[in-house]
Every structure is written in C-alpha cells, then in structure tokens.
Amino acid sequence: MRQTFLRTLSILGLSFAIVTSGTGQTRLMAQSASAPSGAAQQQPGGAQLPWMKESMTKLESELVAKYGEGERARLNRGLKQVASFWRTEDGGASVFEDFVRTHFAGDAKTLDTMFERFQYNLEQVDGHMLEIGREFRQQSDLDAGPILPFDELFAGYDPSAHLTDDFFQNKIAFIVLLNFPLTTLQERLTQGEKWSRRQWAEARLAQRFSKRIPAEVNLAIAQASSEADRYIAEYNIWMHHLLDEKGNRLFPAGLRLLSHWNLRDQIKADYSADQNGLAKQRMIQQVMERIVTQSIPEVVVNNPGVDWNPFTNEVKPAAVKDSDETSRSSAPQKAPTNAPEPNTRYAKLLLTFQASRKVDPYSPTAPTLIARRFDENREIPEARVKQMFEQVLTSPLVPEVAKLIETRLGRPLEPFDIWYNGFRPRGTYTEAQLDEIVAKKYPTAEAYKKEIPNLLTQLGFTKERAEYLANNIIVDPARGSGHALGASMRSAKAHLRTRVGKNGMDYKGFNIAVHEMGHNVEQTFSLNNIDYYTLQGVPNTAFTEALAFVFQGHDLELLGLAKPDAKSRALKTLDDFWGAYEIAGVALVDMAVWHWMYDHPAATPAELKDATLQIAKDIWNKYYAPHFKKRDVVLLGIYSHMIDSFLYLPDYPIGHMIAFQIEEQMEKAGNIGPEFERMAVTGSVVPDIWMKKATGAPVGPEALLAETSKALKEIAP
Ligand SMILES: [Zn+2]
C-alpha cells in the first residue's frame, strides 16, 4: 500500500496532488498499536510459548535484584511487550533470557544513551532510505528527458520495504520494546497533555515497532490494493456514446471520463456550460447511480464500441467512431447486451476488506481496520469524528446555503447539486493575464529559487528566517505538476519540484509551487527545529495540507497583485463549506459500510451491494433529503476511494475543519511567519494536543462553521 508516498488525490478542487514524505507521513501510515498486558494473549505466536511465563518470572526477580525495586514496573512492562511479539523462530528460552539480560537498560544513564543513539540511527536510516528512493525516482519525477522501461523499475523500488522485518529479525525492534513504552490512543489522549516532550518522543519511538505483521499478510494487502486500484483506474465512461431519449449525443467526441473524479468534475464544469448544462448533469447523475447500483451494462464500461442510453439502459453497437482504442471492457465482445456488471465493484471492495482482516490478529489493541484508521492513523476516536461530521451535516447553516444555491441557480436543488461549484469567486485577472505575469517573472525554476527569500519575507518571515529556509530548499524542475519532498534527516534538504514550461512558469504552476513551498517550510521547521527526531513532522496529512494551503491562499499577493477582497473570500468559504457538507456524508457512508462488512464477514458481493445502497440512502434521507426534497438517492456511494482506499474518505472533511482552524489562527495572529514556525515545531503529537497548542481548541468544525456564518452575511445580507 501507500507507505512513504501518499497517493495523488484530487478532491473538492483542492490539490492533494502532493508527495509529502519523510517519516512524519510514514509514521502516519505505519501501524502503531500498543500491546498492554491483557491483549497479549491474542497475539499469535506471542506470549503463549510454553516456556515464556517461567522465563519472565525468573528474569523479573533476577533483574530487580540487580537494578533495584524502582525498575520493576518498567521491566515488567518491557518483558510483556517483548513477549507479545516473540515467535518461535526468534529463539528458545535461553535466547530470550540472554537477550533481556543483555539489552535491558537498568539505569537512567544507560537508558538515556540508548534513547539518544536510537534517535540518531533511525534518523540515518530514514533519511538515507528516503534519499535512495528520491534518487531512484529522479528520472520519472524530474523534467529530464525520456523515461526508459528500467527507470520505472528503479522508481517502483522501495529500499525500506523490509526494514521493520529486518529489525525484528536482528532484534533491534525488541530492544525498543524492552525499554520504551507502547501506549494506547486512550493514554495518549488522556495523559499525553501531561507528558514531557521526552515521554512523547519515547512513545513515538516505541510505536514504530508496535506491530509485527507477517510478510505474507502485507503481500495479501498489497495484492488486494493493486487489484482494486486497477479496477478503479480502468473504469472509464465514453461520453460521446451516451444517448438521450431522442438519440442526441450531449458530449463531444473522444471524451472519456474516469469514475468518479472526472464524472464529478464534469458536473461541476457544466454549471457554466453554454448549452445543455443541466441535461448533461442529469445524465451524469444517472450514469453514477447505475454504477453504484451496478445496473450499468457491463459492456459499456471503458468501451467506445457501444452506444448507451443510461435512462432506458438500452445498448447498441456504436453508430459513430471517435476512438482508435479497442474496447478494454472485460465483457465478451459479441452482440452488445445490457447484462449488468456482475457486482464487480463490491467484489473488489470485499477483497480489500478480507485482506485487511488478516492484519487483525497481529493488532491486538486495534483489532479492526476501522480501529487502525481512527485510533492509529488519525488518532482521533471514531465516535468523535462521527460527531464532528454530524455537526456539519445538521448545522442550521446547511438550509441557508442550500437556499442561496437555489436562488443562484434559479431552480430547485437536484441531487447532483451536492457538487455545486458556483461559489467559485471570479478573480480580477483572467487566467491568461496571470499566466503572462508569472511567465515574465519566472522564466525558469532557477528564477523561482532565487525569489524564495523575498516570497518568504512577504509572508512575514524575518530576513534571517527567510534565508535559513531558502537555504534548506532545493528547487528541481518537475515532470508533473509539482510536489514537495521532505528531507527526513537534518543533514539533507527538502526538495521543491515545480513545473516550468518552455515559455516559463504559468499561473497554475506558480500557485502549486507556492503550495509546495509551504510544505517545504513546514518540513524544514518540523525536522530541523524539533527537539526529538521521533517527534518530527506533523500529526497527519491534514495538518501538512492545511499549512500548505495557508501559503497557497496568498499567491496573488506574492505576485504583487491585490489580495482577494472580502466578497471573494466569502465565496471561497461557502464553496469549502458546501464541499465539507458533501464529503462528510460520503465519509459517513464509507464508515458505515466498513462496519457492515465487519458485522457480516461472510457477505457476498450482492449482499454488500444491497447493504451499501441502504446505507447510502439512509444517510441521504437523514441529512440531504430535507434540503433536496428527494428521497432514496444513492449518489453518496459513488466515490472510488470507497472501493480501493481502505477507509480513507473521512480524512477529507477532517482536513477542511483543520484548514479553517489554522487559517483562523493565522488571521488572529496577524502574521504568518512566526506563527507558522510556532505551530510547525510542535511535531507529531496527537492532533488534539497539537491543535490546542496551536489555536487553544481541539480539532473540530467550529472555525469552519463560524467562517461560513460570516460568509453568508457577506454574500446574502
Ligand atoms: Zn499539499
């Protein structure tokens, strides 16, 4: 799965097309369970070894006699932690006992030395692994000529893939488990505020080795993941082959849209279509519903060889040819029929579920994927996340914004209007004017690099800070749209990859470069200026994105142009609010479907489909139907992430909330520079503690709702 590099995702018009890396993010994706005493019995191959109990008792009295009664609790904890991960192949009783005698740090001085050296060594391994990965990807990531087939093999190679296995094998992981505490989310949340920074750093150090998942289980997950990814990646609809009731083709020849991203974005684009916008939007909604319900004819998927009326579901051989591509549909290429896709969508989702379940026995305190996502990756309990989403969905602001949209559209809402994008502010400058300004200023990547100190001082950093940051950022010309890559060790530098065309940078490229520069600045502070290496980074991706958006939001001022006025800012807020309202419902569907699968582990794809449809309808009826005046809509089930991303969707609404909280704090502080640094050096403590330190309040939707309320007054007084 995605370990070091987060996958490119674009949603709600926000650019998540970012590779942020370094162990800040690796940790996020790495599993981080804890194994308190009670859970140890469930650990396969762990504490049930017949000799284990006796060895532990013996070692405890022996080492307490040696180091003193004061070390008993720590020793006891360490023994239990090691025992819960020890397998037969790690050695018998004498190997275990020798290991503990040799590696238990029985006094404070030895423990300090061990802690220091582990920090140092882990920084070296993380940083250099990242460096190898970055160099191997150079040809595919940078604008550096053709990619040859072997380049892709280098790019796909992950030198750190077996690191955790190796560290269990050579027992380095066991040394950590013997000497440093595994913690539960509950402990981190309730006691974490009183912990010292060193205690936090120790907790994060131990978390690195809090799971020992057998290689075959990881392989099963990787296989399920790539199979689901492939299904999603090839799920295109050939739009010119969609016919309305009169046989008209509403979409241009050659247009091929990937579900759900392109389909959704086409709905958004059609709000400003010259003609047939509404008809096209309704047709896409119909296509989406057929995908969710799997009543879509199998033969139309990724196939320009047939025409299809999505309302009557009639399929015919294509009457026009708009592509040289031969069908990649999996259906037999005989006479086209409208035989439905055989619930493949839900079969793929079940595959990812069955693979995820294989980890459960190795994850005693987070024994489901649901728990691992919320308690370990997000570190916000699921119940609280659900409650935050409901707070948005049931906000009295929803009917107000819905009414405003109806007024702007001049018609009642239709279900696809969950993707309404007419709040997009229209800028003072056209895109072409902006392109010209940017191209003149930034003809090369080098020109941007030179300008970084000035850009940073404009954002409120002191001259000294701006120089320091600029010296820690290497600018490379990107092959794609751009990304940021952290250093992961203090002896290396962050990389800013930016797209510069033959005629210089364009506005879009500049906008992205400013966003990526925000990542680089966060990466630099949260690595180089942090007190403990294992605390480097931010709590999770939502935080790193929110900080980058702060930079991105000031891109016009950085070009020396007027900043967006109050009205544009209000429009943008309403756009974000409506996006959060939409994706919160989608996320609730994702969450409920995973619960259903865990409650029905033997379900067939058809049963999972029925359950998903019911869940999607229930959530629609509860939170959307009152405003859309239509019941039993299944659109909330269309997101592709639901099929291949292992309960990823809740990250998006949380991200919206965090972005507003951080933005609000920046405005309160009145300048970005010092405030940004203050926030970034908090490091990777749990989200609520980070946010309290940054803004005085835990993670929540209050800032988003408050800004929306203000925006409504600005737009519709
Ligand atoms: Zn980003």
Side-chain angles (χ1 to χ4, degrees):
M1 273 194 340
R2 49 211 82 100
Q3 289 285 337
T4 311
F5 299 98
L6 293 180
R7 189 172 22 177
T8 297
L9 291 162
S10 175
I11 196 168
L12 300 171
L14 306 180
S15 159
F16 277 78
I18 302 308
V19 183
T20 37
S21 188
T23 41
Q25 270 59 51
T26 313
R27 188 196 63 69
L28 205 151
M29 289 299 159
Q31 308 295 350
S32 55
S34 43
S37 46
Q41 294 102 16
Q42 302 159 24
Q43 188 83 16
Q48 312 101 315
L49 295 169
W51 46 264
M52 185 60 88
K53 215 172 155 210
E54 201 191 314
S55 284
M56 285 167 72
T57 314
K58 189 165 88 184
L59 286 163
E60 188 173 329
S61 47
E62 184 188 318
L63 294 176
V64 167
K66 185 170 175 188
Y67 296 114
E69 191 57 37
E71 304 300 324
R72 185 186 294 275
R74 205 167 60 79
L75 173 65
N76 194 286
R77 183 196 66 206
L79 286 169
K80 278 184 180 150
Q81 290 181 173
V82 171
S84 69
F85 288 92
W86 196 274
R87 294 180 192 155
T88 312
E89 69 261 31
D90 296 316
S94 67
V95 176
F96 175 78
E97 290 167 19
D98 281 350
F99 168 80
V100 173
R101 282 188 199 104
T102 310
H103 293 293
F104 181 66
D107 59 85
K109 196 165 163 273
T110 313
L111 190 67
D112 286 350
T113 306
M114 177 184 278
F115 176 70
E116 290 298 320
R117 252 172 241 170
F118 266 80
Q119 298 252 346
Y120 178 81
N121 289 346
L122 289 172
E123 178 172 358
Q124 298 315 305
V125 78
D126 289 347
H128 287 292
M129 289 293 185
L130 182 100
E131 187 176 39
I132 294 171
R134 187 187 65 226
E135 296 301 312
F136 277 14
R137 294 187 58 85
Q138 189 121 267
Q139 193 61 33
S140 55
D141 282 348
L142 299 189
D143 185 14
I147 300 173
L148 297 178
F150 68 84
D151 289 317
E152 290 171 17
L153 296 178
F154 277 106
Y157 176 71
D158 176 3
S160 66
H162 302 289
L163 197 68
T164 304
D165 282 345
D166 291 348
F167 278 15
F168 270 103
Q169 215 159 42
N170 64 18
K171 299 204 170 52
I172 286 174
F174 282 116
I175 296 173
V176 171
L177 292 166
L178 180 63
N179 291 287
F180 301 100
L182 290 171
T183 53
T184 61
L185 175 63
Q186 198 53 31
E187 288 165 347
R188 295 195 290 280
L189 287 174
T190 54
Q191 299 159 26
E193 262 172 304
K194 292 185 212 98
W195 286 353
S196 65
R197 294 287 291 177
R198 162 80 182 252
Q199 278 176 296
W200 265 107
E202 288 193 9
R204 291 308 195 199
L205 170 60
Q207 267 178 282
R208 281 182 74 124
F209 304 105
S210 62
K211 273 196 180 53
R212 189 186 190 187
I213 300 167
E216 67 270 18
V217 172
N218 279 327
L219 189 65
I221 291 176
Q223 277 167 348
S225 176
S226 78
E227 197 170 317
D229 279 348
R230 209 161 43 239
Y231 170 75
I232 291 300
E234 290 171 2
Y235 208 102
N236 293 295
I237 303 295
W238 286 84
M239 303 304 283
H240 193 53
H241 296 274
L242 300 184
L243 305 178
D244 69 8
E245 61 275 35
K246 290 186 194 127
N248 295 320
R249 297 173 198 272
L250 303 184
F251 294 94
L255 182 63
R256 189 186 71 165
L257 299 182
L258 181 67
S259 179
H260 71 283
W261 294 275
N262 298 156
L263 291 173
R264 179 201 58 192
D265 292 347
Q266 185 66 42
I267 287 179
K268 292 187 172 203
D270 282 333
Y271 282 105
S272 46
D274 295 338
Q275 51 178 350
N276 288 333
L278 187 57
K280 288 198 274 184
Q281 289 171 321
R282 286 176 178 154
M283 188 178 261
I284 294 176
Q285 178 185 327
Q286 179 68 19
V287 170
M288 286 176 157
E289 288 177 344
R290 292 230 178 256
I291 293 171
V292 177
T293 59
Q294 291 283 279
S295 59
I296 184 171
E298 186 180 23
V299 71
V300 310
V301 178
N302 213 3
N303 185 0
V306 290
D307 288 341
W308 173 41
N309 177 328
F311 297 96
T312 62
N313 227 11
E314 191 190 350
V315 175
K316 295 183 289 196
V320 294
K321 186 167 153 47
D322 66 338
S323 164
D324 290 329
E325 281 201 43
T326 49
S327 161
R328 275 187 275 149
S329 168
S330 54
Q333 297 304 301
K334 298 174 279 179
T337 75
N338 70 352
E341 184 180 8
N343 298 327
T344 316
R345 181 176 178 85
Y346 299 96
K348 301 297 175 193
L349 172 56
L350 273 179
L351 271 183
T352 68
F353 164 67
Q354 297 297 359
S356 302
R357 279 180 74 210
K358 294 193 169 129
V359 177
D360 297 355
Y362 303 95
S363 177
T365 51
T368 65
L369 178 103
I370 303 166
R372 290 190 285 281
R373 277 284 174 267
F374 287 96
D375 295 358
E376 300 182 343
N377 302 148
R378 296 186 181 105
E379 295 195 298
I380 309 176
E382 184 185 12
R384 256 200 69 220
V385 170
K386 191 161 176 243
Q387 182 235 319
M388 295 192 303
F389 292 175
E390 285 166 353
Q391 215 176 320
V392 173
L393 289 163
T394 60
S395 159
L397 297 167
V398 172
E400 286 190 53
V401 177
K403 231 176 75 198
L404 180 60
I405 294 175
E406 288 191 333
T407 311
R408 290 166 78 93
L409 287 171
R411 61 164 171 80
L413 289 184
E414 300 204 20
F416 62 79
D417 290 319
I418 52 175
W419 293 300
Y420 175 72
N421 84 336
F423 287 133
R424 284 293 162 107
R426 208 162 297 148
T428 322
Y429 306 93
T430 65
E431 186 100 1
Q433 286 171 319
L434 291 171
D435 282 346
E436 206 187 307
I437 295 167
V438 172
K440 208 177 273 170
K441 233 176 156 155
Y442 301 105
T444 59
E446 191 51 38
Y448 185 87
K449 158 92 188 154
K450 265 200 195 124
E451 196 54 19
I452 288 179
N454 286 332
L455 296 174
L456 292 175
T457 47
Q458 283 183 67
L459 287 169
F461 292 92
T462 62
K463 218 165 173 270
E464 181 272 323
R465 260 1 213 166
E467 289 292 344
Y468 163 74
L469 290 164
N471 284 334
N472 272 290
I473 299 172
I474 292 172
V475 179
D476 305 313
R479 186 182 291 277
S481 62
H483 59 266
L485 203 55
S488 243
M489 62 178 170
R490 279 163 281 192
S491 55
K493 293 181 180 187
H495 284 247
L496 169 63
R497 268 76 190 270
T498 176
R499 174 99 197 129
V500 181
K502 270 203 305 285
N503 304 317
M505 210 180 234
D506 59 14
Y507 171 64
K508 200 168 175 197
F510 177 74
N511 179 274
I512 294 173
V514 172
H515 175 100
E516 305 306 340
M517 185 171 71
H519 280 310
N520 289 141
V521 170
E522 178 264 294
Q523 287 157 347
T524 301
F525 281 136
S526 72
L527 172 68
N528 296 23
N529 298 72
I530 203 113
D531 42 6
Y532 293 103
Y533 178 72
T534 50
L535 284 178
Q536 67 132 325
V538 290
N540 60 44
T541 24
F543 288 80
T544 185
E545 291 307 329
L547 288 165
F549 283 128
V550 168
F551 271 45
Q552 193 174 3
H554 291 270
D555 66 330
L556 291 178
E557 292 144 86
L558 293 178
L559 285 173
L561 306 172
K563 65 177 177 192
D565 58 15
K567 192 171 175 215
S568 325
R569 290 220 310 266
L571 285 170
K572 192 187 167 295
T573 297
L574 293 175
D575 187 57
D576 285 343
F577 172 78
W578 197 245
Y581 167 63
E582 176 256 342
I583 199 73
V586 170
L588 285 183
V589 172
D590 199 13
M591 288 156 70
V593 166
W594 274 88
H595 276 285
W596 189 90
M597 290 193 289
Y598 265 103
D599 291 342
H600 303 84
T604 64
E607 288 164 346
L608 174 58
K609 176 182 78 178
D610 291 344
T612 303
L613 296 182
Q614 195 55 52
I615 288 165
K617 285 179 197 171
D618 287 346
I619 289 171
W620 177 274
N621 290 344
K622 192 164 174 190
Y623 301 113
Y624 299 83
H627 315 300
F628 287 79
K629 310 286 187 294
K630 188 170 181 217
R631 292 181 61 80
D632 292 338
V633 173
V634 298
L635 279 185
L636 298 172
I638 189 61
Y639 273 70
S640 295
H641 310 79
M642 248 188 72
I643 307 307
D644 72 343
S645 296
F646 300 82
L647 200 44
Y648 183 88
L649 284 162
D651 279 356
Y652 289 115
I654 299 173
H656 275 289
M657 295 174 194
I658 289 172
F660 271 87
Q661 287 181 286
I662 289 177
E663 192 67 57
E664 189 185 51
Q665 178 60 30
M666 294 286 180
E667 290 208 359
K668 247 191 248 170
N671 75 43
I672 294 174
E675 197 63 5
F676 196 101
E677 179 169 358
R678 183 182 73 83
M679 290 184 187
V681 297
T682 305
S684 59
V685 295
V686 292
D688 280 342
I689 293 178
W690 193 100
M691 194 57 93
K692 272 193 208 164
K693 189 152 182 278
T695 71
V699 174
E702 290 76 13
L704 167 67
L705 297 177
E707 278 303 305
T708 304
S709 179
K710 270 194 253 165
L712 270 172
K713 290 191 187 86
E714 178 76 38
I715 299 300

